Amino acid sequence: MSAVLTPTATPSPWRSALPLLVLLLAAILLLYRETGMAMAQIWWTSDTFAHAMLVPPISLWLVWRQRERLAALTPQAQPWVLLLLLGAAALWLLADLLVVNAAAQFALVGMVILAVPAVLGFQVAGVILFPLLFLFFAVPFGEFMLPTLMNWTADFTVLGLRLTGVPVLRDGLQFVIPSGSWSVVEECSGVRYLIASFMVGSLFAYLNYRSWQRRALFMVVALAVPLVANWARAYIIVMLGHLSGNKIAAGVDHIIYGWVFFGIVIMIMFMIGARWSEPDEEPATAGSAGGQAALGTATPDIARSNLVAVLAAAAIVLLPHLAAWGLQRAEGAAAEARLELPAQLAPGWVADAAGSWTPAYLNPSATAARTYTGPAGTVGVYVAYYRGQGPDRKLVSGLNTLVGLNDRSWEQRGGGMREILAGGQTVTMKTAEVIATRSKGADQSAHLVVWRVYWVDGRFIAGDVQAKVAGALARLKGRGDEGAALIVHADAGSVAASGAALQAFMQDNLAALGALLQQTRDAR
């Protein structure tokens, strides 16, 4: 009786490679959970980035669509990608030291993306390249454009009103027309439309076009259309309010009309873009030459290299946390910061009643404010001190401004730099003007000249980047993350006179203020 021999089924290489990738991704998300949770918190609390919650499931769905093509490939680790992974980990550590949230979040997403070619290889990563890159839309990024977009919206709206015969009196981001007054606030900037349109437009381009040229062109259109649409939306809303005697397009329906208009514009954009859509490529079957050549088997060498790559990648993503833990241990626990400006500084400069304006600095560890009267005039002083900086508390931030974005009482104008000689050193300070708006009523004549400078690691620094770098170097030297913003201001009855008062105050008191900040730091 003869024996019947049956072929032994060769295990798929995916059976070992895919679990290893899942373990590596789980390790990355666990180690960097604080960065990931900071992203998720912004998704949940910010209307601007609420759409980012859909990015991970969309990426997974896009990968699932390619499952037949992926099954025909042999996943094999690419060790040199570990160098790129090391770069992303180093970027995260640098961003953590500099307290740059967006950079840390981009680094985290970059590590997640690089884990795929590191474990599965470039063939696999190439097939799902767009779904991987699509993950970058999960990073809440773009709010730095708010002031610029708000100004553009105001420019276009005022221009449109004047071209249609409506007289306009503009004061910064506020303008008055015969039927009432309007103000361009954060919601009018269009940044929500811009970010959402670019994400959805990129997805549309990927699903409907095969050539990279068409995809890139449509993505550019997805950036340009919401800008123009938002300008038109703002103009139409103002005109609706003007023509209706402010009975419509005010309050809640103001926002509703904006989203309805935006939805119609995007729908038209997609309808036009669909006319040039390209058919999907014919999928390669398992029996075809191309599909059969790509099929692989799980050899011991491949499985071993995948395991080594995962272990090496896990060690790499762990390194930044070991370094950060070492720095935190060296710094030790910090006490609560306490800061108080004295009743008198240099001879002749005596504390007076506080002013009505306060800079918009978020979540400082301690603040102090006083107004001093001296031989050269009256100068207001505000100090925001930062200790234990993190995602929600940082000295150098785009959200730390002289005037809040939605502040209708004050407006910042101008800007420049000024060097002064004080305390035996040359110090560069940023300059600006803060002016009370018409809505402030009795105080509408208030006009302040403002100077500001950072204090980091015992030095006064004007630039944002320089202050960030100085803070990171201080942490690396074991000196902690202490820092402060020093803002001085004077009433601009005459800009020259206020500048002279500020210069005299700084020359007389900068050294004393630096010593006060140093004393606060030493008491940590």
Side-chain angles (χ1 to χ4, degrees):
M1 189 172 182
S2 60
V4 178
L5 299 177
T6 58
T8 302
T10 305
S12 169
W14 286 97
R15 291 188 177 181
S16 61
L18 192 56
L20 288 173
L21 176 64
V22 172
L23 287 174
L24 177 58
L25 293 177
I28 293 173
L29 295 177
L30 179 62
L31 287 170
Y32 297 88
R33 60 188 178 278
E34 292 185 3
T35 302
M37 291 301 295
M39 293 171 59
Q41 183 179 9
I42 295 175
W43 302 344
W44 188 255
T45 58
S46 171
D47 292 337
T48 303
F49 299 106
H51 64 274
M53 287 188 286
L54 300 175
V55 171
I58 289 176
S59 292
L60 289 174
W61 171 70
L62 293 174
V63 172
W64 179 253
R65 292 177 74 247
Q66 302 295 334
R67 61 190 180 278
E68 293 183 1
R69 294 180 61 188
L70 293 173
L73 300 177
T74 301
Q76 187 169 4
Q78 294 291 335
W80 75 267
V81 178
L82 296 175
L83 295 175
L84 299 178
L85 188 64
L86 180 61
L91 174 61
W92 181 90
L93 178 59
L94 180 62
D96 183 64
L97 293 174
L98 296 175
V99 199
V100 183
N101 299 349
Q105 293 162 5
F106 273 116
L108 169 58
V109 175
M111 284 186 276
V112 170
I113 293 172
L114 290 170
V116 175
V119 178
L120 304 182
F122 289 118
Q123 275 191 320
V124 172
V127 171
I128 56 173
L129 180 60
F130 179 85
L132 292 176
L133 296 179
F134 190 77
L135 288 171
F136 280 121
F137 282 112
V139 178
F141 180 74
E143 284 194 327
F144 69 93
M145 299 183 292
L146 274 173
T148 300
L149 293 178
M150 290 168 67
N151 276 305
W152 287 356
T153 301
D155 292 342
F156 183 90
T157 304
V158 170
L159 176 62
L161 290 170
R162 287 172 176 166
L163 291 177
T164 49
V166 179
V168 184
L169 177 61
R170 179 178 178 181
D171 184 12
L173 295 177
Q174 299 183 1
F175 51 92
V176 180
I177 58 178
S179 60
S181 61
W182 296 81
S183 179
V184 176
V185 295
E186 181 179 342
E187 290 79 5
C188 305
S189 66
V191 67
R192 298 177 184 175
Y193 307 139
L194 180 66
I195 297 173
S197 172
F198 187 51
M199 186 196 84
V200 177
S202 300
L203 181 61
F204 178 92
Y206 173 73
L207 294 175
N208 287 273
Y209 303 127
R210 305 279 71 80
S211 68
W212 285 106
Q213 293 84 352
R214 293 193 184 190
R215 288 174 175 173
L217 178 61
F218 192 85
M219 290 168 69
V220 172
V221 172
L223 276 174
V225 166
L227 281 176
V228 179
N230 181 64
W231 299 341
R233 175 198 67 86
Y235 167 75
I236 291 172
I237 286 175
V238 174
M239 286 300 295
L240 285 174
H242 176 63
L243 296 175
S244 67
N246 295 320
K247 294 180 180 179
I248 60 175
V252 176
D253 58 348
H254 180 140
I255 305 298
I256 295 175
Y257 293 164
W259 277 109
V260 169
F261 179 77
F262 174 72
I264 293 173
V265 169
I266 294 300
M267 183 180 66
I268 294 173
M269 183 179 73
F270 287 168
M271 290 174 62
I272 295 174
R275 296 187 60 184
W276 286 275
S277 62
E278 299 171 302
D280 291 336
E281 298 175 354
E282 290 294 330
T285 61
S288 66
Q292 188 65 31
L295 289 174
T297 58
T299 65
D301 289 341
I302 291 179
R304 190 180 303 111
S305 65
N306 290 345
L307 178 59
V308 170
V310 168
L311 293 175
I316 287 173
V317 298
L318 180 61
L319 285 175
H321 284 273
L322 294 176
W325 175 79
L327 289 173
Q328 291 173 359
R329 186 177 180 183
E331 293 169 2
E336 181 182 355
R338 297 184 181 276
L339 180 66
E340 184 177 355
L341 291 170
Q344 179 174 344
L345 287 171
W349 291 99
V350 181
D352 201 346
S356 61
W357 170 75
T358 301
Y361 276 66
L362 298 182
N363 200 23
S365 305
T367 60
R370 268 193 166 172
T371 300
Y372 292 90
T373 299
T378 299
V379 173
V381 181
Y382 175 85
V383 181
Y385 196 90
Y386 287 82
R387 172 182 291 169
Q389 298 185 51
D392 299 323
R393 171 182 289 165
K394 48 186 176 178
L395 171 62
V396 184
S397 168
L399 299 178
N400 288 342
T401 58
L402 297 179
V403 178
L405 287 175
N406 291 331
D407 189 336
R408 300 190 180 187
S409 298
W410 300 92
E411 181 179 348
Q412 178 181 341
R413 296 184 185 176
M417 308 291 284
R418 180 159 181 169
E419 289 188 351
I420 61 171
L421 181 61
Q425 59 178 322
T426 300
V427 177
T428 302
M429 304 193 72
K430 288 184 176 180
T431 64
E433 295 181 30
V434 173
I435 302 173
T437 61
R438 288 180 174 81
S439 62
K440 196 166 176 59
D443 294 331
Q444 68 180 40
S445 61
H447 181 179
L448 306 176
V449 173
V450 183
W451 293 3
R452 53 179 167 162
V453 67
Y454 295 113
W455 180 88
V456 180
D457 196 22
R459 295 187 297 129
F460 288 101
I461 303 170
D464 294 349
V465 175
Q466 294 91 326
K468 284 280 190 183
V469 172
L473 292 176
R475 289 200 65 190
L476 290 173
K477 295 174 183 177
R479 298 177 182 173
D481 62 356
E482 312 284 312
L486 171 63
I487 297 106
V488 294
H489 56 88
D491 287 329
S494 164
V495 175
S498 58
L502 290 173
Q503 181 161 340
F505 177 84
M506 295 301 290
Q507 287 175 341
D508 292 344
N509 298 290
L510 185 64
L513 291 171
L516 176 66
L517 294 172
Q518 186 66 45
Q519 180 181 350
T520 303
R521 173 183 169 175
D522 293 341
R524 64 189 309 272

